[in-house]
Amino acid sequence: MDKFVKLIQDVEVLWSKYYPMYLNGVKNTLILALVATVIGFLIGLACGVLNTIPYTKQDPWPKRFLLKLLRGLIRVYVEVFRGTPMVLQAVFIFYGLPYFTDGAVAFRGNSGMWLASIIIVSVNTGAYMAESVRGGIISVDPGQTEGAKAIGMTHVQTMLHVILPQALRNILPQIGNNFIINLKDTSVMFIISFTEFFAAHRYIVGVNNMYFPSATVEMIGYLTMTLAASFLLRLAERIMDGTDHYKLVQEDSLTMTAGTYNHPHRGTPFDERSKEVRERIKQELKFGRSRGDR
Amino acid sequence: MEDKILEIRHLSKAFGDHQVLRDIDFSVGKGDVTSIIGASGSGKSTLLRCINLLETPTGGEILYHGQPVTGPGVNAAKYRSRVGMVFQSFNLFNNMTVLENCVVGQVKVLKKSKAQALEDAMGYLNQVGMAPYRNAKPRQISGGQKQRVAIARALAMEPEVLLFDEPTSALDPEMVGEVLDVMKALARQGMTMLVVTHEMAFARDVSTRVVFMNQGVICEDGTAEQVLGDPRQPETRDFLARFRNA
């Protein structure tokens, strides 16, 4: 028990002395993870969309060739960046560029380090997101595409208005996953002396010997960040799903009054509640609100 | 009337080695209500999907007002916007409300103004009795209601022909009626319709013409009275007999 008391005391000492440094690390970690996840998602979105452009044997050969080439390139990108550690990618980009250009192109100073970090984490996230987006697109029911085609939508319109909104909702948990992974994995950016949260720890324990208490601060800090991120993502999902209820609109200028449509046997749709709907309401009362049938 | 909207000539379709359609010849005139009947696997749905270019035919041609729609250089999307389709599985856009489902095509494909599209969509939703449900999402309404919305969505494009691919096959028996009622009303208004169906009563009472398909070919083609009442081919007789016994 007294060990815990000692630990808490040490943590308090560390925090009161170094909290600006820790907080600065948290800030940098959050900014890097957020920016890189957004950019990485955009890269992944572009890859996923380009990867799923359909072609048939009837298409002219330049189109087929181009699409095949595109798929090949994306494949190489995904495999290379997914298959190597981000630490090494950082080294290759940060030190490799000046090495090959004899110092003509290099990431210099603080802004250079930020730029390099954002590029590396984004490109890495993009490789994962490319597959997530592709999976999200092909998991949308093909009937949705057929429905859109049948009313004359082009591939672009179908993607934009029908497929992507549904695919993005489905991959939102994966985007969240990537964001949380980035919050933690940005710690490897110490290799190019980026001062994120973990780098703060490395610096602080370098000037005193309170390694374990500082690690405790780090643990609590990372967990706080990831829990907050999880909570916000759940919230976003719920907002995207919208409400499970809808209002019948009967009394306004757009809806004609009852009687314009009649079922010979069962009155009008206005007093009709189908079996399915009744059943679902029953289930909802029993088990609480469901998030719809996906 | 001799004004042919669709003409299908020697159409064939194969999936690999499997020949699904063989040498299909028929045409659709303005105001025709054609029912396509036949056993499962006889190629009815594939024929409909070929007509809407959801499947690419392997042979023959489809003429729309005399113009071929298969082959290179044809704007398939534009042609599809003139030929509506109602699916067995509804295929309503799950990310949109009932009303948005009926508006999106008008705005994006027909380039109508939003206000005009909303007004027209409400007209068609009223016609199928789904206007009060306009703010519901597809997952919140029943199968019969979904299919009525799907019909309204197709109508909103003001198509010249409406193709129905087994529109009531995925419905609970108690919901079949509401969809057939809407289809009957459309037929009475003079809509040109091509209906793949297992509803023999609908074929008999509503359609001007019945086509019986068997193993990828058109086996019998005539008025509803003739094909259903006095079938000439033995295959048609067998099929109808099985239906009566079922």
Side-chain angles (χ1 to χ4, degrees):
Chain A
M1 198 61 207
D2 49 340
K3 292 274 182 201
F4 273 106
V5 176
K6 176 82 171 66
L7 180 62
I8 292 168
Q9 281 168 351
D10 285 346
V11 166
E12 274 173 356
V13 168
L14 266 179
W15 181 255
S16 58
K17 199 167 174 189
Y18 295 108
Y19 75 90
M21 214 176 249
Y22 281 123
L23 285 182
N24 186 52
V26 168
K27 189 191 80 188
N28 287 350
T29 293
L30 281 175
I31 294 175
L32 176 59
L34 197 64
V35 171
T37 307
V38 170
I39 299 176
F41 165 67
L42 294 177
I43 295 173
L45 187 66
C47 289
V49 167
L50 292 173
N51 226 335
T52 49
I53 297 174
Y55 60 86
T56 60
K57 276 184 219 145
Q58 277 80 23
D59 282 323
W61 72 265
K63 183 182 171 186
R64 274 183 294 156
F65 174 76
L66 218 64
L67 286 174
K68 271 185 187 162
L69 184 72
L70 210 57
R71 285 179 194 196
L73 288 175
I74 291 171
R75 178 98 205 172
V76 169
Y77 159 61
V78 168
E79 294 300 342
V80 167
F81 280 89
R82 215 171 47 166
T84 54
M86 196 156 72
V87 189
L88 286 177
Q89 292 165 18
V91 171
F92 264 68
I93 293 177
F94 193 75
Y95 300 108
L97 267 181
Y99 175 83
F100 279 111
T101 57
D102 284 326
V105 184
F107 299 101
R108 288 190 187 88
N110 194 43
S111 56
M113 196 177 60
W114 268 99
L115 185 65
S117 302
I118 288 175
I119 289 175
I120 292 155
V121 184
S122 302
V123 167
N124 197 281
T125 310
Y128 284 94
M129 289 308 301
E131 286 297 279
S132 297
V133 173
R134 191 175 70 90
I137 289 172
I138 57 180
S139 73
V140 174
D141 173 18
Q144 298 284 307
T145 310
E146 293 191 347
K149 276 182 169 177
I151 59 171
M153 283 193 183
T154 60
H155 174 72
V156 174
Q157 289 171 330
T158 305
M159 268 292 162
L160 225 51
H161 304 296
V162 179
I163 306 300
L164 282 181
Q166 296 182 48
L168 293 188
R169 167 61 191 89
N170 289 342
I171 61 167
L172 197 61
Q174 305 241 38
I175 299 174
N177 248 347
N178 266 300
F179 178 57
I180 285 171
I181 289 171
N182 280 345
L183 278 174
K184 299 178 295 169
D185 283 8
T186 43
S187 57
V188 302
M189 285 302 133
F190 76 84
I191 200 100
I192 57 170
S193 46
F194 183 86
T195 51
E196 41 64 58
F197 192 35
F198 190 68
H201 162 76
R202 286 167 56 87
Y203 176 80
I204 291 163
V205 299
V207 293
N208 59 45
N209 60 352
M210 296 166 88
Y211 200 98
F212 186 57
S214 181
T216 310
V217 174
E218 293 284 309
M219 275 292 203
I220 296 170
Y222 274 116
L223 199 59
T224 310
M225 283 194 274
T226 51
L227 285 178
S230 289
F231 173 75
L232 290 175
L233 285 159
R234 284 286 155 80
L235 200 68
E237 277 181 39
R238 216 172 310 154
I239 290 169
M240 271 180 99
D241 283 341
T243 152
D244 258 6
H245 307 284
Y246 63 95
K247 274 212 177 86
L248 283 184
V249 203
Q250 297 183 21
E251 288 164 5
D252 69 2
S253 54
L254 286 175
T255 311
M256 289 181 204
T257 43
T260 45
Y261 176 83
N262 53 352
H263 296 278
H265 316 298
R266 284 180 293 114
T268 65
F270 310 122
D271 51 50
E272 164 205 58
R273 266 231 147 131
S274 71
K275 205 172 82 188
E276 270 178 43
V277 174
R278 272 204 311 270
E279 197 53 47
R280 203 181 49 238
I281 290 169
K282 236 186 270 168
Q283 295 291 315
E284 276 178 17
L285 287 174
K286 220 187 266 173
F287 303 113
R289 178 181 170 282
S290 73
R291 287 210 280 119
D293 24 330
R294 259 188 318 279
Chain B
M1 208 187 277
E2 274 310 294
D3 181 17
K4 298 292 181 215
I5 298 176
L6 283 172
E7 274 178 83
I8 289 133
R9 288 188 191 156
H10 307 296
L11 185 80
S12 64
K13 170 73 186 174
F15 293 107
D17 288 338
H18 182 51
Q19 195 76 25
V20 185
L21 294 176
R22 267 173 290 205
D23 203 22
I24 301 281
D25 264 306
F26 90 119
S27 55
V28 178
K30 198 167 161 42
D32 284 356
V33 177
T34 310
S35 289
I36 304 176
I37 60 171
S40 298
S42 57
K44 312 180 298 283
S45 288
T46 308
L47 172 59
L48 219 56
R49 292 169 60 84
C50 280
I51 292 175
N52 208 12
L53 304 184
L54 288 174
E55 304 285 354
T56 315
T58 34
E61 55 179 359
I62 299 168
L63 303 178
Y64 172 69
H65 287 296
Q67 299 297 315
V69 295
T70 49
V74 174
N75 189 341
K78 185 143 190 253
Y79 162 71
R80 285 200 194 100
S81 73
R82 307 296 307 131
V83 179
M85 177 123 175
V86 174
F87 299 88
Q88 182 177 357
S89 50
F90 328 122
N91 295 349
L92 289 181
F93 305 136
N94 292 328
N95 55 325
M96 302 180 194
T97 64
V98 162
L99 183 60
E100 285 164 347
N101 261 283
C102 300
V103 165
V104 65
Q106 298 185 66
V107 173
K108 301 298 173 194
V109 179
L110 301 182
K111 311 288 178 201
K112 279 193 200 173
S113 75
K114 188 96 191 233
Q116 184 64 48
L118 279 172
E119 196 186 323
D120 291 349
M122 283 313 296
Y124 292 112
L125 284 174
N126 273 311
Q127 193 178 340
V128 300
M130 285 301 291
Y133 295 86
R134 65 169 179 264
N135 295 328
K137 287 278 181 76
R139 67 177 141 105
Q140 295 165 325
I141 57 179
S142 73
Q145 293 174 327
K146 279 185 211 175
Q147 198 58 298
R148 275 146 61 193
V149 174
I151 293 173
R153 177 178 74 179
L155 288 174
M157 303 303 291
E158 292 166 28
E160 261 185 285
V161 194
L162 255 187
L163 312 177
F164 291 84
D165 186 8
E166 303 197 25
T168 58
S169 297
L171 298 178
D172 284 347
E174 61 170 23
M175 293 169 193
V176 170
E178 64 190 69
V179 172
L180 288 182
D181 285 348
V182 169
M183 290 168 63
K184 280 178 201 162
L186 282 178
R188 272 199 300 275
Q189 288 165 21
M191 186 79 207
T192 309
M193 293 158 68
L194 197 55
V195 187
V196 168
T197 187
H198 291 290
E199 296 290 331
M200 289 304 148
F202 177 87
R204 186 186 61 227
D205 300 339
V206 183
S207 42
T208 54
R209 182 172 160 211
V210 172
V211 171
F212 171 70
M213 286 186 69
N214 188 38
Q215 296 183 343
V217 294
I218 290 181
C219 187
E220 192 154 355
D221 180 354
T223 63
E225 246 167 36
Q226 185 260 304
V227 176
L228 297 175
D230 178 26
R232 290 185 192 141
Q233 305 294 331
E235 290 89 345
T236 320
R237 263 179 244 141
D238 281 357
F239 174 75
L240 292 173
R242 260 182 288 138
F243 236 88
R244 280 193 202 99
N245 298 336

